[in-house]
Amino acid sequence: MSTEQIQGIAGHGSFFQPTHLGAEEAAKATDWVRKHVDRRTMDLGERMDDIREHMWELEKEGEIIVHRITDAHKPVEVQTLFGWTKKIPTIQLWHHKSCGQCGNIPGYPTSLLWFMNQFGYEPGRDYLDETDQTSCTAWNYHGSGIGNVESLAAVFLRNFHQAYVSGKQHGHGLGHFFPLVHCGTSFGNYKEIRKYLVESAELRERVKKILGKLGRLVDGKIVIPEEVVHYSEWVHVMRNRIASELQKVDVSNIRVTMHAACHYYKMVHEDAIYDPTVLGGNRTAIGTSVAQALGAQVIDYSTWYDCCGFGFRHIISEREFTRSFTMNRKIRVVREEANADVLIGNDTGCITTMDKNQWIGKAHEQNFSVPVMADVQFAALACGADPFKIVQLQWHASPCEELVEKMGISWTDAKKNFEAYLKEVEAGRIEYLYNPELALGGH
Amino acid sequence: MATYAEMREIYDDIRGDFRYDHELNGCLNCGICTATCPSAQFYDYSPREIVQLLWTENVEQVYDAMQEKIWACAQCMTCAARCPFKNSPGGLVMIMREVAIKHGMQSAKDVLRPFGRVMLKLITTGNQLSPDMIQPDHFPDWGPNIQKVEGNLKTLRKAIPMRTLQTTDTAWEVSLKTSVEMYTIWEMTGVLNSLETMDENLFDVIEDFIDEKREEYDEWLEEQEGKGD
Ligand code: SF4
Ligand code: SF4
């Protein structure tokens, strides 16, 4: 079957037939659509409500407490889709981990914390990684439908309340640490839920009962963050410092493609970062911007907007969809069209999908592959982080060694080193990014 | 086959969700959603069709779509970012899935059976994925080189320089207190009830697990009090 037949016009019903238009005619017929979908449209902004304004009103009315980003968090202001301003805190951060990242691609959080250490951040004061947090539970929700707005809201408020009070045990005031969300789905889900919480007094009432029972109210109120911030936004605002203060490896020969997570910029899309100096300001800037700052060649490709095929449920129990989509619409295109050296991303689900499903392509004579990793892992490599100990590339299935070698780093030496280090680990001599006691509430 | 009244009840439940009016504002039938939809490329599924059925109050075909079609959606929300009417077909699908579960639809049970492992992990630990789940025997299609360094999983996890990640059966270490708080959330929001409707065996296993963890937590609390004396 040809690709055209496979892709066909499924879902339209049999009375929809291919038009067989020539390329030029087809382009003309779809011109309006393309104009609309390829460029961001600012016009909708005026019709949109900025939920944050309502948050301030609710706080004034004594309904909620807003966890503020203060000067102490050294925020950087950025622009979002409609040109609105968003504050990104750069320090005093509470790492809100991602179950997919931690379970599957641990090089994500380790590279991020490594960067913070490189900038001289002091663990326990400038950031905190602790055990008192659950996942957002939204992966399961989107996959199975088990869960509901109320459970998602209670989980959100519980985790963010912990972030708000977490400074206390380390001798700081309330609100000292601001949550930095590692996961793309958590980021999208929390913002969606925040919207519902601000809009619905009934929902607030219902979850307040739960939070009260858990001892997770402050002065009888729920705590809602001023901004929901994604780790890739931290990387975005730190990109020039990363490049000017930390970069060790010249990456000007590296062809980089970016896959931005759907849940980063398609859910509550008004909150995603756009920057006129990145991809013409038409696509979300995160990810691409750090590759650009490091001096890599950023390569555009025709399926940039496509999802990776993760599907939440599909990656677990309908994998033929996931792997077919990712191979046909992502890996093939970045390999054959963009001739990329690496495909970077900013979320767990996408990286897992695109990294792990390349091998099976061989069964369909799809003999192409491309290294897949997170933006922050690529940046860490460029700044001289150890490919194994820090960037943790040993957990990846895609050919990351090809990229590492092209960057002029010896994969074999690094691997040998790491294997020797594993002996040390077995003997209990572990190198940590921070004092492990901190994770458990100690000092 | 469901009666019209049953189908109507299901439809009314979908419409009754407070998000419904956020997610559906009208429909031009333009098909932009379907054109950008990954699932439409591989399944007999179209977000435009879902939206049209709801918009035209086609009670029977909505019921029909809930049998299988709604489970095709990959929840990427590309449709929501693109729809000129600011609809969210993916969001509507989520409402429909929740309603399918509420009504214990057989199709939902069938679709979710292979998802049980993730559900068990989630409800009991608050993590949805753990390193010991990503082993070659669970994912043979990921190939023999699922990772690049051979070795014992425990040791490899210990070689991650973050204390919270040195686990094998959860993605990160979740404190016992946190888990116990989460169980309360599941109970108070009806999540455990939906689970019972969908899979009684899984529910029993989870209930036992929760009881055990709560006992463990109570013992720990007593111990702490003892220390304080
Ligand atoms: S994009 Fe929006 S208006 Fe167009 S068919 Fe889909 S739901 Fe209807
Ligand atoms: S959310 Fe569902 S319906 Fe919408 S584009 Fe993605 S897969 Fe298609």
Side-chain angles (χ1 to χ4, degrees), chain A residues 212-229:
Chain A
K213 184 150 185 204
L214 301 181
R216 294 281 182 185
L217 296 172
V218 175
D219 298 334
K221 298 173 198 171
I222 53 174
V223 181
I224 296 184
E226 178 176 351
E227 304 280 10
V228 179
V229 184

Side-chain angles (χ1 to χ4, degrees), chain B residues 7 13 29 36-37 53 57 73 106 108 124 164 196 203 206:
Chain B
M7 291 191 268
D13 270 352
N29 221 348
T36 58
C37 172
L53 294 178
E57 302 195 19
C73 167
Q106 187 57 41
T124 54
T164 50
E196 194 175 11
F203 172 76
I206 286 176

Side-chain angles (χ1 to χ4, degrees), chain A residues 61-226:
Chain A
E61 289 160 16
E63 264 277 312
I64 62 169
I65 289 177
V66 178
H67 185 172
R68 279 184 167 61
I69 298 172
T70 65
D71 289 346
H73 297 108
K74 299 190 182 142
V76 174
E77 288 194 349
V78 291
Q79 304 247 298
T80 56
L81 179 66
F82 300 134
W84 300 349
T85 301
K86 179 173 183 179
K87 273 196 229 164
I88 308 297
T90 60
I91 200 163
Q92 290 179 204
L93 299 162
W94 186 79
H95 287 285
H96 189 5
K97 295 180 285 292
S98 148
C99 50
Q101 279 175 18
C102 295
N104 200 18
I105 320 159
Y108 244 114
T110 50
S111 298
L112 184 62
L113 264 64
W114 179 82
F115 267 120
M116 296 196 173
N117 288 357
Q118 295 297 303
F119 283 124
Y121 288 18
E122 190 186 302
R125 183 192 71 192
D126 299 331
Y127 71 76
L128 186 64
D129 168 43
E130 61 169 355
T131 58
D132 193 350
Q133 59 180 267
T134 66
S135 79
C136 63
T137 72
W139 175 355
N140 174 70
Y141 174 71
H142 285 286
S144 71
I146 298 231
N148 48 56
V149 173
E150 205 176 321
S151 71
L152 292 167
V155 167
F156 164 48
L157 294 172
R158 198 217 75 86
N159 281 333
F160 278 58
H161 172 274
Q162 176 56 27
Y164 188 69
V165 300
S166 63
K168 272 175 89 181
Q169 64 199 344
H170 302 283
H172 312 294
L174 283 177
H176 176 88
F177 289 113
F178 197 85
L180 185 67
V181 180
H182 290 192
C183 175
T185 286
S186 302
F187 176 72
N189 161 70
Y190 285 149
K191 286 191 301 184
E192 206 165 70
I193 295 299
R194 180 175 68 163
K195 219 170 173 174
Y196 295 140
L197 277 166
V198 171
E199 281 170 9
S200 166
E202 195 193 322
L203 179 63
R204 285 198 301 275
E205 259 337 287
R206 292 209 307 260
V207 288
K208 230 190 208 171
K209 280 198 196 103
I210 304 171
L211 274 289
K213 184 150 185 204
L214 301 181
R216 294 281 182 185
L217 296 172
V218 175
D219 298 334
K221 298 173 198 171
I222 53 174
V223 181
I224 296 184
E226 178 176 351

Side-chain angles (χ1 to χ4, degrees), chain B residues 148-159:
Chain B
K148 296 184 188 298
V149 173
E150 296 288 319
N152 173 288
L153 182 64
K154 267 199 182 129
T155 311
L156 285 168
R157 291 291 295 185
K158 284 260 181 229

Side-chain angles (χ1 to χ4, degrees), chain A residues 6-7 10-12 16 32-33 37 44 48 97-100 102-104 106 109-110 113 129-135 137-151 154-155 158 196 199 209-210 213-214 216 262-263 266-267 269 305 307 311-319 321 323-325 329 352 356-357 359-360 388-389 392-401 411 415 418 421-422 425-426 430-434 436 439-440, chain B residues 17-19 22-23 31-32 34-46 48-49 71-78 80-84 86 94-95 97-98 101 111-112 114-115 117-119 122-123 125-131 134 138-150 152-153 155-166 170-175 177-182 184-186 188-191 194-195 198:
Chain A
I6 296 168
Q7 293 178 355
H12 287 266
F16 278 85
W32 177 82
V33 178
V37 297
L44 286 174
M48 285 288 292
K97 295 180 285 292
S98 148
C99 50
C102 295
N104 200 18
T110 50
L113 264 64
D129 168 43
E130 61 169 355
T131 58
D132 193 350
Q133 59 180 267
T134 66
S135 79
T137 72
W139 175 355
N140 174 70
Y141 174 71
H142 285 286
S144 71
I146 298 231
N148 48 56
V149 173
E150 205 176 321
S151 71
V155 167
R158 198 217 75 86
Y196 295 140
E199 281 170 9
K209 280 198 196 103
I210 304 171
K213 184 150 185 204
L214 301 181
R216 294 281 182 185
C262 292
H263 285 191
K266 293 172 184 168
M267 275 173 98
H269 42 273
Y305 284 106
C307 153
F312 300 87
R313 187 180 64 83
H314 302 66
I315 181 113
I316 304 287
S317 54
E318 238 161 89
R319 296 217 287 276
F321 163 78
R323 59 195 181 225
S324 304
F325 194 84
R329 300 286 298 193
T352 304
K356 296 282 191 280
N357 282 297
W359 177 83
I360 190 71
F388 291 88
K389 283 186 182 171
Q392 296 274 320
L393 289 176
Q394 61 270 28
W395 303 98
H396 294 231
S398 61
C400 297
E401 52 274 35
W411 175 266
K415 189 170 173 182
F418 181 67
Y421 173 58
L422 286 178
V425 171
E426 272 166 7
I430 302 173
E431 295 168 23
Y432 284 101
L433 285 163
Y434 58 79
L440 310 167
Chain B
D17 191 289
F18 82 103
R19 292 166 290 177
H22 270 268
E23 316 291 50
I32 288 181
T34 302
T36 58
C37 172
S39 295
Q41 297 194 26
F42 283 90
Y43 296 96
D44 178 17
Y45 169 74
S46 154
R48 182 196 53 78
E49 185 190 0
W71 298 101
C73 167
Q75 286 294 298
C76 65
M77 302 300 168
T78 310
R82 290 285 172 248
C83 170
K86 292 158 74 24
M94 252 350 284
I95 298 176
R97 287 184 182 175
E98 270 189 51
I101 282 165
V111 164
L112 292 184
F115 207 70
R117 210 156 53 96
V118 178
M119 225 114 74
L122 170 86
I123 306 281
T125 71
N127 275 196
Q128 289 157 110
L129 181 99
S130 59
I134 323 162
H138 293 310
F139 290 91
D141 53 338
W142 284 0
N145 302 317
I146 209 166
Q147 59 197 46
K148 296 184 188 298
V149 173
E150 296 288 319
N152 173 288
L153 182 64
T155 311
L156 285 168
R157 291 291 295 185
K158 284 260 181 229
I160 301 172
M162 286 167 69
R163 170 65 172 77
T164 50
L165 267 56
Q166 296 174 335
T170 48
W172 69 77
E173 189 179 329
V174 179
S175 83
K177 174 173 176 282
T178 315
S179 301
V180 170
E181 285 182 37
M182 193 183 57
T184 306
I185 295 179
W186 297 144
M188 291 181 77
T189 55
V191 170
S194 353
L195 203 65
M198 295 310 289

